[in-house]
Amino acid sequence: MLNTRGATLKGNVLGDIRAEQDRIMLDTAFWESADYKSLLESYDRPIIVGRRGTGKSALAYRLSKHWGSKPKTLVLSISPEEEQVIGLRDIFEQFGDKYLHIKAGTKMAWRYAIYMEILVELGGHYKYKNNLDLSQVREHYTSWGSRRQSISTKIRRKLKSVLNESDSPQSRIADLSDNLELDLIEEVLLEALEKSNAQCVVFADRLDEGYSPDNLGVGIIDGFIQAAIDIKFRLKERVVAFAFVRDNIYRAISKLDPDFTRNIEGQTLRLHWDEYNLFNLVCFRLKSAFTCEHENSVRIWNQYAVKELKGREGFRLALRLTLYRPRDILVLLNEAFLKANSNDREQIILDDIEYTAKTISINRLNDLHKEYEYIFPSIEEFTKSFYGRESEMAVKDTQPLIESVLNQDRFERNKQQDIFLFSDSRQVLQRLYSVGFIGVHNQQSASFGFLS
């Protein structure tokens, strides 16, 4: 901690940007945003969507802790590794190359996998196992595998045993529900949960691991989302599954799935971060990191940020160097405190922020390009047009920059095709706003708003 002059400061004083490595800070200094509170109160929107760095994994961790502390509640976490998801591709390819076929097949496979994970959990519970009738599903139960094995490995093994290579993709899909005995397993699960008066809550995070932006890659995640939505209704809310999905994947699903507006759109909660929530998130972490005695957020901030950074206006200066996401501001401030410590200071100043802002900004921009290159191929060309310009611009001043890209025809084919779809510069601005590259100034709050 940084309490006395010359003290050693750990590398990430405000916490690690990876939720799985940030458990201490998440346990002691978690900011309960409006999104978090709404997820506690309702199951209506089990699909949580946000860009990289918006705190999806942190939410999954805290929500699982909340439900894990409730009586008669089982909590399951599904968090596949990259190689596991990649390993599923070859088995899911047996559902063919049409998007709707992939979605239909993977939805049943994921539904079976979630059912089996719950079945194993119930079978190992000292009390609930007495209400579980395994006589009808014993073969499924014994062949599924232990909790130590990854869910992806178990899905692969099961599908290999029931899919017939000589069948057509359509036949494999048509027979899959019966081959997996989904309806039977569903009945056994529901009966056990109702007799136990228990509920199971499933959290699926890091679904983007091993993701590829093709029909198969998008279909695998769409299948999981559809399964999560279906399970809630099929099991009468005795099982509720939350899926945390990256925004670019969600957009790809909306583009490819013809049933998106009917089945998914109304089930979605989009994470939103504004200045107020980001300020309180940072101050909560400052209070925990430095054992600060202040309760008021402004006083906490002013104890560790001085000169131009003082007060909410000073915080706003730092925030303008980010894409208004928790990860951005935490990385920026972690580096700023390291810089201050190297200069034998306990408080950060604007120079500390600006010292690291450029490198961090470039990294965030590269992340943005990678995240949206599939659904917005020309994003890099449009963002390049803003290089070297003021960070705050009127809409009319952005139009010549964007039109300079729209009027060119020298780009590679996929970028050029994307550019031709825009009728004017305002459409481009709307798209750049929708992916979080630009924000809109709110005169009432005197701050910029960015989509998360």
Side-chain angles (χ1 to χ4, degrees):
M1 296 187 300
L2 185 62
N3 288 323
T4 57
R5 187 169 296 279
T8 301
L9 182 69
K10 65 179 184 178
N12 295 314
V13 65
L14 296 185
D16 199 294
I17 61 172
R18 297 162 299 175
E20 58 271 21
Q21 304 296 327
D22 196 32
R23 298 296 166 82
I24 294 176
M25 192 61 82
L26 288 175
D27 287 338
T28 60
F30 179 74
W31 170 246
E32 296 186 358
S33 65
D35 290 334
Y36 172 75
K37 291 176 182 176
S38 70
L39 289 168
L40 292 182
E41 295 168 359
S42 171
Y43 312 133
D44 290 346
R45 296 181 180 268
I47 312 304
I48 297 93
V49 177
R51 290 183 291 139
R52 283 176 173 170
T54 49
K56 296 185 294 298
S57 294
L59 264 180
Y61 171 71
R62 285 292 303 207
L63 287 168
S64 65
K65 279 201 70 175
H66 167 80
W67 262 286
S69 66
K70 294 178 69 174
K72 295 195 173 183
T73 305
L74 291 173
V75 173
L76 290 177
S77 294
I78 297 173
S79 185
E81 298 293 334
E82 180 181 32
E83 67 277 7
Q84 296 168 1
V85 176
I86 293 172
L88 284 173
R89 288 180 63 91
D90 66 339
I91 195 72
F92 284 155
E93 281 176 350
Q94 294 191 49
F95 297 132
D97 54 9
K98 292 183 179 179
Y99 185 80
L100 289 179
H101 293 175
I102 295 168
K103 182 187 74 171
T106 57
K107 179 174 73 170
M108 286 185 282
W110 283 121
R111 203 171 112 214
Y112 177 82
I114 294 171
Y115 285 169
M116 292 310 303
E117 291 289 282
I118 299 170
L119 203 66
V120 170
E121 201 67 23
L122 287 172
H125 194 277
Y126 76 99
K127 184 185 294 185
Y128 300 150
K129 66 181 179 181
N130 297 325
N131 296 319
L132 179 63
D133 180 10
L134 283 176
S135 61
Q136 301 181 74
V137 294
R138 188 169 301 281
E139 185 180 344
H140 293 281
Y141 183 82
T142 55
S143 66
W144 179 241
S146 69
R147 300 177 195 175
R148 294 189 300 273
Q149 292 179 302
S150 74
I151 190 171
S152 305
T153 299
K154 290 182 277 193
I155 292 174
R156 278 175 54 83
R157 185 172 60 237
K158 183 62 182 181
L159 290 181
K160 281 182 177 181
S161 72
V162 299
L163 294 179
N164 190 333
E165 291 186 7
S166 63
D167 287 343
S168 66
Q170 294 92 324
S171 293
R172 292 179 192 132
I173 295 167
D175 296 336
L176 189 58
S177 181
D178 287 340
N179 289 339
L180 295 175
E181 296 189 296
L182 281 172
D183 291 342
L184 174 61
I185 297 170
E186 203 170 81
E187 289 174 13
V188 172
L189 269 181
L190 184 58
E191 181 184 28
L193 289 167
E194 287 181 337
K195 282 184 176 179
S196 305
N197 192 26
Q199 184 182 43
C200 182
V201 186
V202 180
F203 294 95
D205 187 29
R206 296 172 61 186
L207 294 175
D208 56 310
E209 292 291 321
Y211 167 74
S212 296
D214 55 14
N215 276 9
L216 182 58
V218 179
I220 289 171
I221 298 178
D222 193 0
F224 188 97
I225 289 173
Q226 301 278 358
I229 293 170
D230 285 355
I231 285 170
K232 180 176 70 170
F233 298 105
R234 286 178 171 275
L235 293 174
K236 301 177 182 179
E237 295 193 358
R238 287 291 178 181
V239 177
V240 179
F242 291 92
F244 295 80
V245 184
R246 218 168 62 198
D247 178 64
N248 63 312
I249 301 174
Y250 182 78
R251 289 171 187 259
I253 292 171
S254 71
K255 181 179 178 181
L256 292 173
D257 190 340
D259 299 318
F260 172 81
T261 54
R262 183 181 62 181
N263 295 336
I264 299 177
E265 192 173 37
Q267 304 285 329
T268 301
L269 173 70
R270 181 172 288 280
L271 298 180
H272 175 71
W273 286 95
D274 55 19
E275 182 186 308
Y276 170 80
N277 282 286
L278 289 168
F279 183 63
N280 283 287
L281 178 147
V282 166
C283 292
F284 263 51
R285 289 185 173 236
L286 283 170
K287 180 178 173 65
S288 176
F290 298 134
T291 322
C292 176
E293 296 181 358
H294 293 308
E295 296 296 332
N296 179 272
S297 290
V298 175
R299 288 187 177 181
I300 294 170
W301 173 254
N302 287 344
Q303 183 166 341
Y304 304 104
V306 295
K307 296 183 179 179
E308 300 97 330
L309 293 181
K310 208 168 184 69
R312 287 185 179 272
E313 187 59 40
F315 178 76
R316 196 171 293 141
L317 286 176
L319 201 56
R320 286 176 183 174
L321 299 171
T322 74
L323 291 174
Y324 277 59
R325 300 179 298 188
R327 180 180 295 173
D328 298 347
I329 190 66
L330 292 178
V331 169
L332 189 66
L333 293 177
N334 277 338
E335 294 296 325
F337 276 109
L338 277 176
K339 180 69 165 55
N341 191 57
S342 69
N343 287 287
D344 203 24
R345 282 186 283 105
E346 298 178 358
Q347 298 163 314
I348 58 172
I349 58 177
L350 187 59
D351 283 350
D352 299 323
I353 296 286
E354 293 180 337
Y355 177 79
T356 56
K358 185 174 182 180
T359 300
I360 291 172
S361 178
I362 291 171
N363 290 339
R364 295 291 80 78
L365 183 60
N366 288 336
D367 283 346
L368 194 71
H369 290 164
K370 293 172 188 175
E371 193 169 357
Y372 290 104
E373 62 183 354
Y374 173 68
I375 58 170
F376 187 180
S378 59
I379 184 173
E380 185 176 3
E381 303 306 327
F382 286 114
T383 56
K384 277 181 182 178
S385 67
F386 288 85
Y387 286 2
R389 307 290 176 171
E390 294 294 325
S391 59
E392 297 178 20
M393 301 176 68
V395 171
K396 63 180 178 62
D397 295 328
T398 67
Q399 290 173 337
L401 305 179
I402 293 171
E403 286 169 359
S404 69
V405 178
L406 291 175
N407 294 332
Q408 294 188 50
D409 59 359
R410 60 178 178 81
F411 303 112
E412 55 191 87
R413 185 177 178 181
N414 66 326
K415 290 184 178 181
Q416 201 68 63
Q417 288 176 334
D418 190 44
I419 289 169
F420 285 154
L421 294 176
F422 295 105
S423 58
D424 55 38
S425 60
R426 283 187 174 273
Q427 282 191 354
V428 177
L429 279 177
Q430 288 170 352
R431 180 76 72 87
L432 291 173
Y433 172 69
S434 75
V435 300
F437 176 72
I438 60 174
V440 177
H441 188 260
N442 185 323
Q443 290 185 336
Q444 188 173 0
S445 63
S447 64
F448 283 84
F450 287 77
L451 283 183
S452 298

